[in-house]
Structures are given as C-alpha cells and as structure tokens.
Amino acid sequence: EVQLQASGGGLVQVGGSLRLSCTASGFRWDHYVIGWFRQAPGKEREGVSWISSTDGSTRYDDDVQGRFIISYGSSKNTVYLQMNSLKPEDTAVYYCEARDTGVIAPLAPMYHYWGQGTEVTVSS
C-alpha cells in the first residue's frame, strides 16, 4: 500500500523558517514526482513545488520562488521543503503527493497518492 506521511508544520512568526518532510513508502516506481500542495482556508488547493526522481529537476510556484527549496533526503523516498522568509499568506495546510510518471496518460490517475497534510501558521 502506498503511504505518504507529511510532518514539520507548526506556528512560526513572519520571516521565520520551517522545514516540512514527506516520506513515501509502499511503491516501486521507476519514474515519479513528489510534490507539495497547500490549501488556505476558503481557497482552492494550489501547487507549491515538485521534484522528479528521473533527473532531480525541480519546479516552484511563483509565489514561493526564491524562498522555498525542495530537496531529497538520504533516499529519494524522503523529500524536504525548506520554507524561508515566511509570510502570513503562506498559512495553509500543506500536502505532499506522489505521482508515477512512467505510466501511459490514461492510467496516470490510478498512480497518484496524497498524504494527510500538515498545518503551517505564520503569525505577525
């Protein structure tokens, strides 16, 4: 069974930092992406950052570019999101997700998994 565990959220002041962790288990995919999404109260879930197992390439949403860094841990099933210079608008529940990118497109939704999320609150 594929499982994703997100952790590291908490309460932090404006300008502070947090490091979120996502640990994925239960899969043996050759090519996959692990990423972070967030959902603020009353808003739609939005993508934050992604990292690829194939080449290590990363992507960031414009709102976090230059402030957040996504990286692998000691193995590629653990991904960190280092969050710096936090702003009140970063307050949200953060979810990690894993996608198998080695399957044909019609099957892709069957290989997309989500964790339960970890809450980040940035206060002034």
Side-chain angles (χ1 to χ4, degrees), residues 15-88:
S17 298
L18 285 173
R19 189 180 73 169
L20 306 184
S21 298
C22 177
T23 300
S25 62
F27 66 94
R28 300 174 68 179
W29 306 331
D30 293 325
H31 305 281
Y32 56 93
V33 169
I34 294 178
W36 291 93
F37 286 69
R38 67 185 181 186
Q39 187 167 19
K43 299 182 67 176
E44 298 293 321
R45 186 175 296 188
E46 63 176 354
V48 177
S49 184
W50 299 264
I51 187 166
S52 172
S53 71
T54 302
D55 57 8
S57 62
T58 59
R59 295 179 63 189
Y60 298 92
D61 182 77
D62 289 342
D63 292 338
V64 306
Q65 180 73 45
R67 298 189 296 119
F68 292 7
I69 302 172
I70 190 169
S71 63
Y72 289 116
S74 58
S75 65
K76 289 186 176 180
N77 68 326
T78 298
V79 171
Y80 299 118
L81 184 67
Q82 179 65 46
M83 308 164 64
N84 301 315
S85 302
L86 285 163
K87 305 175 181 179

